[in-house]
Amino acid sequence: MEDKQIIDLFWARAENAISETAEKYGRYCYSIAYHILYNGEDSEECVNDTYLKAWEAMPPKYPERLSAFLGKITRNLALHRYEKHMAKKRGSGEMTLLYDELAECIPSPAETERTVEDILLADIFNRFLAKLRPEARRFFMRRYWYVASVKEIAAEYGVSESKVKMSLLRSRNELRKLLEKEGVNV
C-alpha cells in the first residue's frame, strides 16, 4: 500500500491504518528502536507506541514522508526510554559512545535551551549535511541518527570499518569547524 493511502486511512480513522503501517514500516521502526535500546521487548513497545503517537497526530498533521515521520517518532520514544533506563546500564553502551564521539562538536545543553538557538542549530546541521558527499552523509546519518554501529555501516555499504571511521571523523571535524565559524560554542 502506498504511503498516501496509509495516511488517508489514519485521517479516516480506519482501524486498518495501524496494521497497514505495521506491515510496511514495522521492521524499519523496530530497527531504529533496537539500535538505541538493544532490547527486543523495549523496542517492540516503542514500535507500538509509535503507532499510537501516529494515530494521535493524524489528523491534524499530514506528514510529507511517512517513513521519516514514523522514524522520528520511534527514535524520540526510544531515546526517551533509553534515558529512563540509562541508570540500569542497559544495552551495549552505543548511545554513550555516540555522545562521546559528538561531544566535542555539539553545543552544551545550556547553550541550546532557547528556541531560537535550536532553530539556528537545525539550520546549521541541515547546511552541513547538504555539503557532505553522499557517501559521507549516509555514514553520518546511519551512525548518528539511526544509531548503527561502525561494523553495521561497513557491512551495509560494503566498505571497511576503517573507511567508515575515517569518514565519520572527517565529518565531525567539518561539523565542528562549521559550528565554530557560525559562532556556536562547542
Side-chain angles (χ1 to χ4, degrees), residues 91-104:
S92 69
E94 196 71 23
M95 290 302 298
T96 304
L97 179 60
L98 290 180
Y99 291 139
D100 289 345
E101 287 178 7
L102 285 174
E104 60 190 39

Side-chain angles (χ1 to χ4, degrees), residues 6-14 17-18 21 51 54-55 58-59 66:
I6 295 172
I7 294 168
D8 289 344
L9 289 174
F10 277 100
W11 275 70
R13 306 317 269 166
I18 302 294
T21 303
Y51 303 146
W55 183 266
M58 292 185 280
L66 186 58

Side-chain angles (χ1 to χ4, degrees), residues 122-133:
D123 179 61
I124 292 168
F125 270 94
N126 286 334
R127 284 187 286 126
F128 162 72
L129 290 171
K131 287 181 183 179
L132 286 179
R133 290 177 297 109

Side-chain angles (χ1 to χ4, degrees), residues 27-164:
R27 288 192 316 200
Y28 166 73
C29 292
Y30 181 86
S31 174
I32 293 170
Y34 191 82
H35 279 96
I36 294 170
L37 299 169
Y38 287 96
N39 180 289
E41 277 184 24
D42 286 347
S43 298
E44 282 293 331
E45 284 184 36
C46 279
V47 172
N48 289 330
D49 290 347
T50 297
Y51 303 146
L52 176 62
K53 292 280 188 194
W55 183 266
E56 292 170 349
M58 292 185 280
K61 183 130 178 89
Y62 196 96
E64 289 181 35
R65 290 189 60 215
L66 186 58
S67 61
F69 178 74
L70 296 170
K72 184 175 182 179
I73 292 172
T74 304
R75 183 176 183 272
N76 289 340
L77 289 168
L79 287 171
H80 179 73
R81 186 174 291 262
Y82 174 82
E83 289 171 2
K84 199 169 151 183
H85 294 317
M86 196 167 155
K88 297 178 183 178
K89 301 291 184 196
R90 287 186 142 189
S92 69
E94 196 71 23
M95 290 302 298
T96 304
L97 179 60
L98 290 180
Y99 291 139
D100 289 345
E101 287 178 7
L102 285 174
E104 60 190 39
C105 59
I106 59 173
S108 67
E111 289 290 323
T112 58
E113 287 178 0
R114 292 179 294 216
T115 305
V116 173
E117 290 178 349
D118 288 345
I119 292 169
L120 292 173
L121 187 60
D123 179 61
I124 292 168
F125 270 94
N126 286 334
R127 284 187 286 126
F128 162 72
L129 290 171
K131 287 181 183 179
L132 286 179
R133 290 177 297 109
E135 181 181 64
R137 183 174 40 251
R138 284 191 297 268
F139 292 170
F140 193 88
M141 292 300 293
R142 290 288 295 139
R143 180 75 174 142
Y144 299 113
W145 177 260
Y146 293 103
V147 195
S149 69
V150 170
K151 184 176 184 175
E152 290 170 323
I153 297 167
E156 181 177 344
Y157 293 104
V159 297
S160 68
E161 289 182 37
S162 62
K163 180 175 181 169
V164 173

